[in-house]
């Protein structure tokens, strides 16, 4: 190149330096993000295909950083996990999501479900079940409206421990969902032992299923077997009418994705719920 090798190296190392600086900046900032009220939740509707109604919403976290702007969870959740900050942040998210669901209830959104993601570190945290029970009581939400989502890989290691933990969570009255299903190593029959009620098919299969027969086969198999196990199935990442119709034909229970709606600020959710109810 015109710049010569030495400059290329400098360019590379200054990029790395920037990356490290950003990481340090995020880590320091995250420690204060909660008290400074920089975290907020967006809500993405889940459409129940049988009922033709919005079943509820999944809470998705965002961070409004004072200098860097909006940061997505892919960047800050791993930092929150490594530093242990995910525990107070996760408690905040569950409380806030439950409170928001109660606000919607007062605005005519009775019976809506609310789903909240639980990361690996949170799931393994001592006192998790007591914390969740406390938040459910404090917010006065009907626990049957709450779904906690955990990722597949997390669910599949340490089987005995997982089962007892899932059972304890289940005893609080919430429902459990396996997120990103299909990306891990587990067999569907393995799931029979897990006290979960919902499977969420990973977006990667849904986005390719209409042009890739292997992905279509995976989606069909997951839905059919999940139904044999009496589990409900949600398909993530539905972006087109064609994908929605294909999933409907397979008897998929719920769909979520940009085709129905992007994640929305809380104030915009009830309008869409009412639109589907008309
Ligand atoms: P996830 O739980 O699998 O959430 C779905 C992600 O897919 C969200 O990304 C959502 O905005 C995106 N999405 C939804 N529909 C579509 C679609 O049709 N097309 C495409 N391309 N994307 C779609 P987001 O909000 O960036 O969240 C990413 C991940 O971060 C989540 O994946 C979840 O694992 C994690 N996360 C988000 N909020 C929380 C939280 O409060 N706590 C924890 N522990 N993790 C969270
Ligand atoms: Ca999720
Ligand atoms: Ca997912
Ligand atoms: Ca169905």
């Amino acid at each position: 190149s015109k710049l010569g090798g030495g400059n290329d190296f400098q360019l590379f190392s200054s990029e790395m330096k920037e990356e490290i600086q950003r990481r340090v900046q995020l880590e320091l900032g995250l420690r204060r993000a909660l008290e400074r009220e920089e975290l907020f939740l967006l809500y993405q509707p889940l459409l129940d295909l049988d009922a033709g109604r919005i079943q509820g919403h999944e809470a998705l976290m965002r961070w409004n950083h004072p200098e860097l702007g909006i940061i997505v969870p892919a960047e800050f959740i791993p930092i929150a996990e490594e530093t242990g900050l995910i525990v107070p942040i996760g408690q905040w998210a569950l409380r806030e999501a439950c409170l928001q669901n109660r606000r919607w209830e007062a605005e005519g959104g009775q019976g809506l479900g609310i789903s909240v993601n639980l990361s690996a570190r949170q799931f393994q945290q001592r006192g998790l079940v007591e914390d969740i029970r406390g938040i459910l009581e404090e917010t006065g939400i009907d626990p049957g409206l709450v779904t906690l989502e955990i990722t597949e890989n997390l669910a599949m290691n340490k089987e005995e421990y997982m089962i007892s933990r899932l059972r304890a969570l289940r005893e609080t009255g919430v429902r459990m969902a396996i997120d990103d299903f299909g990306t891990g190593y587990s067999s569907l029959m393995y799931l029979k032992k897990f006290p979960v009620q919902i499977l969420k098919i990973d977006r990667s299969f849904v986005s390719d299923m209409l042009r890739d027969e292997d992905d279509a086969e995976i989606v069909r198999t997951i839905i059919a077997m999940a139904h044999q196990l009496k589990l409900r199935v949600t398909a993530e990442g539905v972006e087109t009418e064609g994908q929605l119709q294909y999933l409907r034909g397979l008897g998929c229970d719920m769909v979520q994705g940009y085709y129905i709606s992007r994640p929305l600020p809380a104030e915009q959710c009830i309008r869409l719920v009412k639109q589907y109810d008309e």
Side-chain angles (χ1 to χ4, degrees):
S1 80
K2 280 185 199 149
L3 292 171
N7 283 323
D8 281 355
F9 176 73
Q10 271 197 339
L11 187 68
F12 176 64
S13 77
S14 81
E15 253 170 40
M16 277 189 55
K17 204 171 133 199
E18 263 168 44
E19 223 171 86
I20 292 165
Q21 274 170 348
R22 182 175 169 97
R23 158 80 207 212
V24 170
Q25 190 180 8
L26 290 180
E27 189 174 326
L28 291 174
L30 201 52
R31 295 186 185 280
R32 295 189 207 99
L34 253 188
E35 58 188 73
R36 293 187 180 173
E37 300 183 27
E38 292 165 3
L39 299 174
F40 64 100
L41 299 176
L42 294 178
Y43 298 89
Q44 189 174 36
L46 282 84
L47 179 66
D48 181 322
L49 288 177
D50 285 337
R53 305 182 62 184
I54 304 293
Q55 179 273 340
H57 299 87
E58 177 178 4
L60 295 162
M61 210 186 301
R62 297 290 181 271
W63 177 13
N64 187 8
H65 190 284
E67 284 128 36
L68 303 172
I70 304 292
I71 317 275
V72 295
E75 193 171 8
F76 72 85
I77 294 286
I79 301 175
E81 285 243 302
E82 282 165 39
T83 55
L85 289 166
I86 191 66
V87 174
I89 287 174
Q91 287 175 346
W92 168 82
L94 179 62
R95 183 179 297 110
E96 179 57 28
C98 291
L99 287 174
Q100 183 55 56
N101 211 59
R102 301 233 49 198
R103 283 178 217 128
W104 285 328
E105 211 173 287
E107 293 164 27
Q110 288 94 350
L112 284 172
I114 183 79
S115 301
V116 179
N117 293 286
L118 272 196
S119 70
R121 175 108 178 223
Q122 272 178 288
F123 189 81
Q124 286 155 12
Q125 188 70 23
R126 208 182 292 273
L128 171 76
V129 178
E130 292 73 18
D131 289 344
I132 288 176
R133 212 187 291 280
I135 291 169
L136 296 172
E137 279 170 14
E138 171 197 327
T139 59
I141 194 167
D142 171 358
L145 297 176
V146 178
T147 299
L148 301 178
E149 301 190 357
I150 60 170
T151 57
E152 179 189 5
N153 282 336
L154 167 63
M156 300 311 147
N157 58 38
K158 295 197 233 148
E159 189 181 327
E160 293 309 315
Y161 167 78
M162 286 299 305
I163 292 173
S164 72
R165 185 120 264 220
L166 285 167
R167 197 164 285 148
L169 284 172
R170 180 75 183 125
E171 278 164 11
T172 67
V174 303
R175 295 190 297 171
M176 300 300 304
I178 305 280
D179 210 347
D180 303 342
F181 192 79
T183 56
Y185 324 100
S186 54
S187 86
L188 278 158
M189 293 320 283
Y190 205 70
L191 275 178
K192 221 165 145 174
K193 303 183 196 161
F194 284 86
V196 301
Q197 291 72 45
I198 300 156
L199 281 194
K200 297 189 76 169
I201 304 176
D202 192 65
R203 191 170 79 215
S204 58
F205 303 110
V206 174
S207 63
D208 290 343
M209 69 185 177
L210 295 185
R211 48 171 186 263
D212 182 331
E213 181 48 32
D214 291 336
D215 286 320
E217 180 62 29
I218 289 168
V219 170
R220 287 196 295 269
T221 306
I222 293 175
I223 293 172
M225 290 191 68
H227 283 166
Q228 281 194 336
L229 296 171
K230 306 271 189 297
L231 301 176
R232 305 248 300 156
V233 185
T234 301
E236 304 181 324
V238 174
E239 294 185 351
T240 68
E241 171 72 23
Q243 289 166 344
L244 186 145
Q245 293 308 343
Y246 186 75
L247 290 160
R248 189 195 294 281
L250 297 177
C252 184
D253 302 289
M254 290 188 285
V255 290
Q256 180 180 0
Y258 295 167
Y259 182 69
I260 294 97
S261 169
R262 291 194 172 249
L264 298 170
E267 317 80 71
Q268 293 175 24
C269 291
I270 289 298
R271 215 179 53 143
L272 193 68
V273 169
K274 290 185 174 163
Q275 224 167 290
Y276 274 96
D277 274 349
E278 272 164 15

